[in-house]
Amino acid sequence: MVTLRPYRTDDWPAVRRIYAEGIETGIATFETEPKPQQTWEGKSVPGSQLVAEEDGDVIGWALLWPVSDRCAYRGVAEVSVYIAASARGRGVGKALLTALNGLSEELGIWTQQAGIFAENTASIGLHEACGYRLVGIRERLGCLDGRWRNIAFMERRSTVVGV
């Protein structure tokens, strides 16, 4: 059975491993190495870090990143959600993202946004299933491994915060 809970510092090795598995797919992020633990913990939105656990093992994680330090954007955050390769396709991402949607509103977030590689149809579908809408495609936004990538820019607006 999968349970969700707040991230703890001792979860970091599993979080890093899952992040590295996502990087290895080539369709999850422009990052080529996982962010350092101190960045992941210290620069994400405080209180937004969640993990999914099964039989004592962390199998996924989600959190929010501030999009700006400007006060006008204090309620806008970027979503990150990563699932262990062994747990993909089992609803773990949907459980995490659904929980993060609720948690974001508790944290005063009125807009969650996601930038997803346009070819990552599984992630786009996940976000759509969790209430995100496609805002547009940002063409040739970045280059990874010598290949320019288009990004599907998606957002979810709260019906509770900022209305």
Side-chain angles (χ1 to χ4, degrees):
M1 175 188 217
V2 175
T3 58
L4 305 182
R5 63 169 174 79
Y7 164 83
R8 298 185 306 245
T9 300
D10 63 334
D11 293 326
W12 176 249
V15 166
R16 187 185 191 292
R17 177 185 46 77
I18 293 165
Y19 197 8
E21 288 176 0
I23 290 169
E24 288 173 14
T25 69
I27 62 168
T29 180
F30 283 111
E31 300 285 352
T32 57
E33 292 288 327
K35 288 177 176 35
Q37 182 175 8
Q38 58 270 35
T39 299
W40 197 90
E41 292 174 356
K43 296 201 175 184
S44 57
V45 173
S48 72
Q49 308 90 341
L50 296 174
V51 298
E53 190 175 55
E54 183 176 55
D55 299 325
D57 295 322
V58 172
I59 59 170
W61 58 266
L63 57 67
L64 299 170
W65 299 99
V67 298
S68 175
D69 61 0
R70 296 175 65 193
C71 64
Y73 299 108
R74 73 185 176 283
V76 182
E78 183 173 352
V79 172
S80 286
V81 57
Y82 284 77
I83 308 304
S86 62
R88 292 182 193 142
R90 296 182 17 216
V92 177
K94 188 171 185 178
L96 278 165
L97 198 49
T98 298
L100 191 60
N101 287 347
L103 181 58
S104 73
E105 291 172 338
E106 292 174 26
L107 295 170
I109 304 296
W110 58 78
T111 300
Q112 292 170 264
Q113 66 185 39
I116 304 167
F117 285 176
E119 64 266 32
N120 192 344
T121 56
S123 187
I124 291 169
L126 166 65
H127 284 76
E128 287 174 337
C130 291
Y132 287 71
R133 70 180 181 93
L134 179 66
V135 175
I137 301 293
R138 302 181 75 188
E139 295 179 358
R140 296 172 49 89
L141 187 64
C143 189
L144 178 65
D145 297 328
R147 191 170 135 226
W148 286 97
R149 300 296 181 86
N150 296 339
I151 298 298
F153 188 69
M154 303 185 77
E155 74 172 15
R156 177 188 173 273
R157 298 296 307 261
S158 173
T159 59
V160 178
V161 179
V163 292

